[in-house]
Amino acid sequence: MKVLVTGANGFVGRNLIVTLEQMEGIEILPYDIDTDPALLDEYTKACAFVFHLAGVNRPEKVEEFMEGNFGFTSVLLDALKKNGNTAPVLITSSIQAALDNPYGQSKKAGEDLMFSYGKETGAKVLVYRFPNVFGKWCRPNYNSAVATFCHNIARELPIKVNDPEVMMHLVYIDDVVEELIRALHGKETRKDKFCTVPVEHAMKLGEIAELLYSFRSSRSELTVPDLADAFTRKLYAAYLSYLPEDQFSYSLKMNTDHRGSFTEMLRTPERGQVSVNISKPGIVKGNHWHHTKNEKFLVVSGRGIIRFRRLGSGQVIEYPVSGDQPQVVDIPTGYTHNIENTGDTDMVTIMWASECFDPEKPDTYYLEV
C-alpha cells in the first residue's frame, strides 16, 4: 500500500512516518516543501491513501497563511483529480479554523475545499481539527507553547506566561499517530462531520509551567513525577526529549566508608526510594529492623547471604544471593536483618524501600541478627 504523506518533515509527519516504517506492506511517499514538485504528480498517481499534514503556522507574511494552508491543498487535490485517483484523503486542520484570524481563515478554507472535493469526486475525506499537539520533535518558539516551555525550562531560560489561567486543550503526539493509523485502516473516530483524537487533555497554562519546572527540579531532588496521571506521564516524556544533548546525565551523591558505599537514585512520595549499595568482601551491613518500612533487595553483582531473625525468636533464617542468579528478597517488618558479602569481589545490591528515608522518623532500630 503506497501512502502519500505531505509535510513529511514536520512535527506530526516525522512521528507518523517512523510508525508507518514499522508496519508491513506500507510504502511511504514523503513530500515536503523541498521535494521536487514533479514527484507530486507521480505520487498522486500511485498512492492509495493521503495524509495531508503540510501547512503554514508562522509565515513571514500574513498572505502566506492562505497560500500554504489553502493553496497547496488545492494543488494536491487538483493533482489527484487529474490522475483520476479517488484514494481517501486525510487533512489535519486546527481548532482555530473556528476563529476569525488569518491562520484560522486559511485552515477553514482548506477544510471547505476538502469537503467540496469529497462531494465532487466521491473520495473519502477525513478532516481533523487538532487542538494543541505536544510531544517529541515539536519545534520550540514556533507554534507550540508546550514545546517552547520544555525547551527553555530544560535550559534554565525564561518563559513567558501571559495568562496562567487560560485553559489549554492538548493532544499528545502518540495519541495523534494512533488515531491516524486507525484512520488509515478505516476506523477513524468521528464527531459530526469532523474526525477527532479521542484522548484529549485540559490544563491551565500556569499549571503546565509549574509541572515542567517540577520536572527540572526532580533531577536534583532524585524524584520522579506521578506517572499514574496520563497527562503528567506524556508531558514528562515530552520534556525529556528537549534536554540538551550534553545534559542527559546528572550526578548522584555517593556516601562512602570502609565498608563500601550507599547511593540514593530515586525518591518518590508514593512508591518509596531506590538505592544502590556496594559492600566490600567480608562486610556485614544492616543489623536493624523496621515497624512499617519494608524493603526489597536484589544482588546484581557478587555473592552474599541475607540473614533474618524474627524479634523474640532465636532462629536465624539465611538466604544465599548472587548476581549470577538474580532474585528479589523481601525484607518483612518485624525481622532484624543483615546482608553479608561472602565473595571476594564487591557485592552490588539494588535496594528498594517503601518509604523515603526521613531522619526525623527513620523507623530503623539497631539489633544484631
Side-chain angles (χ1 to χ4, degrees), residues 6 74 123 133 149 217 243 367:
T6 73
S74 178
V133 186
F149 286 5
S217 62
L243 289 176
L367 183 64

Side-chain angles (χ1 to χ4, degrees), residues 132-152:
N132 295 276
V133 186
F134 71 101
K136 66 183 183 300
W137 304 334
C138 186
R139 283 173 58 184
N141 303 304
Y142 184 59
N143 68 321
S144 167
V146 172
T148 303
F149 286 5
C150 286
H151 177 272
N152 286 16

Side-chain angles (χ1 to χ4, degrees), residues 3-251:
V3 176
L4 170 58
V5 181
T6 73
N9 296 331
F11 168 40
V12 178
R14 289 178 65 194
N15 279 274
L16 174 62
I17 284 176
V18 295
T19 299
L20 291 172
E21 287 174 340
Q22 306 304 313
M23 298 170 59
E24 293 185 4
I26 298 290
E27 181 182 343
I28 303 164
L29 307 176
Y31 192 90
D32 211 278
I33 193 168
D34 55 356
T35 305
D36 181 355
L39 286 175
L40 188 62
D41 184 63
E42 177 184 328
Y43 289 172
T44 52
K45 281 180 185 176
C47 65
F49 193 97
V50 180
F51 287 105
H52 180 32
L53 314 178
V56 174
N57 295 305
R58 287 202 174 186
E60 294 182 2
K61 300 177 181 178
V62 172
E63 54 267 25
E64 291 178 25
F65 277 125
M66 196 62 73
E67 293 172 7
N69 295 326
F70 172 80
F72 180 68
T73 300
S74 178
V75 170
L76 171 67
L77 298 181
D78 284 346
L80 288 166
K81 284 191 286 187
K82 171 191 166 187
N83 290 310
N85 189 341
T86 56
V89 183
L90 180 156
I91 186 173
T92 52
S93 184
S94 166
I95 55 174
Q96 291 203 42
L99 304 179
D100 188 19
N101 59 48
Y103 176 66
Q105 291 168 355
S106 68
K107 284 296 189 181
K108 179 66 164 57
E111 293 176 356
D112 291 343
L113 191 61
M114 282 287 292
F115 288 126
S116 296
Y117 170 80
K119 290 179 180 178
E120 177 186 347
T121 65
K124 181 179 181 179
V125 297
L126 303 95
V127 179
Y128 282 83
R129 279 188 173 180
F130 288 161
N132 295 276
V133 186
F134 71 101
K136 66 183 183 300
W137 304 334
C138 186
R139 283 173 58 184
N141 303 304
Y142 184 59
N143 68 321
S144 167
V146 172
T148 303
F149 286 5
C150 286
H151 177 272
N152 286 16
I153 290 173
R155 289 160 177 75
E156 300 190 14
L157 299 173
I159 63 170
K160 185 176 182 180
V161 181
N162 292 321
D163 182 1
E165 293 299 310
V166 67
M167 185 63 71
M168 298 285 287
H169 295 273
L170 309 107
V171 286
Y172 182 54
I173 188 60
D174 286 7
D175 295 325
V176 170
V177 171
E178 283 186 15
E179 172 60 25
L180 297 184
I181 298 300
R182 282 194 292 270
L184 176 64
H185 293 144
K187 299 178 181 179
E188 68 276 3
T189 305
R190 288 194 173 268
K191 187 176 182 181
D192 300 324
K193 67 177 182 177
F194 295 101
C195 299
T196 187
V197 179
V199 182
E200 185 174 315
H201 304 277
M203 180 175 280
K204 293 179 179 179
L205 185 60
E207 293 173 339
I208 293 173
E210 289 176 7
L211 199 51
L212 290 170
Y213 277 119
S214 76
F215 296 163
R216 187 177 75 185
S217 62
S218 70
R219 303 179 88 192
S220 59
E221 296 170 355
L222 306 186
T223 60
V224 289
D226 180 6
L227 302 180
D229 176 73
F231 178 71
T232 301
R233 183 175 68 254
K234 296 168 185 177
L235 187 64
Y236 185 57
Y239 171 79
L240 291 178
S241 73
Y242 289 88
L243 289 176
E245 292 186 353
D246 61 349
Q247 295 180 32
F248 286 178
S249 67
Y250 55 101
S251 299

Side-chain angles (χ1 to χ4, degrees), residues 265 274-277 296-300 348-352:
M265 178 185 172
V274 178
S275 307
V276 179
N277 183 79
K296 294 179 184 289
F297 290 180
L298 171 62
V299 172
V300 295
V348 181
T349 307
I350 306 298
M351 295 182 170
W352 169 83

